């Protein structure tokens, strides 16, 4: 298999197998991220993709799910992406569910009709690295998209019938804009109605601009208790029914379906942690998970 650099798998359910169709990230300038910092973006050669599919077909001929790599493989135009999906179906004829993580802005170069066509070829689920629904925060962390972009592109996916996730990065606005980040994100996510809302806690990795800003006193990270308070505010303002998932970097497990039915119990669990939780233990859990 032609994998370049570190491989990042879907954090919530195991997609098997994995197929790399691009390398790196088209943006690669988010202030909190180092995942693809040293990997220039480019398309994987079509001959590599076909060779990999032939290999997959030998070991998993009955595969029904597959994840496309790397950071934002759907940045490709429809005309470049469609032949790859057709090739997947050629070599894996039982394929039902093609999944990819990608950037919100990757939908801009595709019409609703093109997205419907990709869905018909198996593209059923997309994870969008939104991080926030608050314009101040999105600009602050250099996401190069705004709340209106998220709303517009999610509406296209909804019309095309493609399921999507939105991700809330707990703590990424720092103390400077914490409540606005939580409230505006919840309001926008509720409007977009994703099938899954994922949350994770901010990690200040070495080499990131956000860590350097924190060291210069230009960004004030939240404490463990403040992270929980921000997450509670987000949950309180979230009104869409979805699968609610806390990433392991959250330090607390609140994952499960039927969010609206569980909302009160999630809030109570967060309130209990805020009042009685061992913050050193939570910090240790998150620190251990970060190093995996």
């Amino acid at each position: 298999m032609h994998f370049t650099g570190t491989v990042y798998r879907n954090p919530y359910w195991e997609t098997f197998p994995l197929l790399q169709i691009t390398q790196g990230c088209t943006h690669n300038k988010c202030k909190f991220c180092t995942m693809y910092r040293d990997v220039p973006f480019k398309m994987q050669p079509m001959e590599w993709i076909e060779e990999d599919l032939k290999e997959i077909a030998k070991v998993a001929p009955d595969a029904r799910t597959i994840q496309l790599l790397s950071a934002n493989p759907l940045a490709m135009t429809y005309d470049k992406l469609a032949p790859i999906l057709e090739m997947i179906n050629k070599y894996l004829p039982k394929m039902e569910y093609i999944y990819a993580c990608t950037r919100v802005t990757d939908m801009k170069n595709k019409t609703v009709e093109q997205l419907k066509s990709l869905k018909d070829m198996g593209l059923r689920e997309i994870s969008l690295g939104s991080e926030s629904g608050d314009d101040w925060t999105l600009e602050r962390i250099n996401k190069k998209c705004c709340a209106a972009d998220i709303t517009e592109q999610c509406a296209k996916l909804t019309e095309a019938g493609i399921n999507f996730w939105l991700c809330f990065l707990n703590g990424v606005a720092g103390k400077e804009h914490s409540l606005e980040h939580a409230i505006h994100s919840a309001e926008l996510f509720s409007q977009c109605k994703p099938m899954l809302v994922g949350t994770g806690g901010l990690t200040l990795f070495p080499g990131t601009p956000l860590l350097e800003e924190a060291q210069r006193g230009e960004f004030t990270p939240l404490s463990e208790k403040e992270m929980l308070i921000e997450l509670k505010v987000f949950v309180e303002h979230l009104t869409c029914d979805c699968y609610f998932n806390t990433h392991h970097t959250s330090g607390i497990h609140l994952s499960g379906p039927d969010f609206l039915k569980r909302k009160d119990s999630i809030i109570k669990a967060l309130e209990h942690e805020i009042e009685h939780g061992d913050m050193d233990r939570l910090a240790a859990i998150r620190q251990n998970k970060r190093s995996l």
Side-chain angles (χ1 to χ4, degrees), residues 24-38 71-72 102-106 128-132 137-146 150 167 169 172 202-213 219:
C25 173
T26 54
H27 179 51
N28 213 11
K29 294 178 182 177
C30 293
K31 287 188 176 182
F32 58 87
C33 181
T34 60
M35 290 171 68
Y36 300 94
R37 191 54 51 89
D38 299 321
N72 58 322
T102 205
R103 285 177 53 80
V104 170
T105 51
D106 294 343
L128 298 171
S130 47
E131 324 307 350
S132 180
T137 304
L138 290 166
E139 182 177 1
R140 178 72 175 77
I141 61 178
N142 198 29
K143 281 299 293 186
K144 290 300 180 186
C145 71
C146 63
I150 298 172
C167 303
L169 186 49
V172 77
L202 173 69
T203 298
L204 291 175
F205 287 107
T208 57
L210 208 55
L211 174 58
E212 294 169 1
E213 291 176 7
F219 174 81

Side-chain angles (χ1 to χ4, degrees), residues 86 103 122 125:
E86 290 171 349
R103 285 177 53 80
E125 196 167 310

Side-chain angles (χ1 to χ4, degrees), residues 9-16 65 67 97 99 125 165 196:
R9 179 187 287 276
N10 180 323
Y12 301 128
W13 60 278
E14 291 189 3
T15 44
F16 175 80
T65 66
Q67 178 176 342
Y97 220 85
Y99 163 86
E125 196 167 310
W165 311 357
L196 181 148

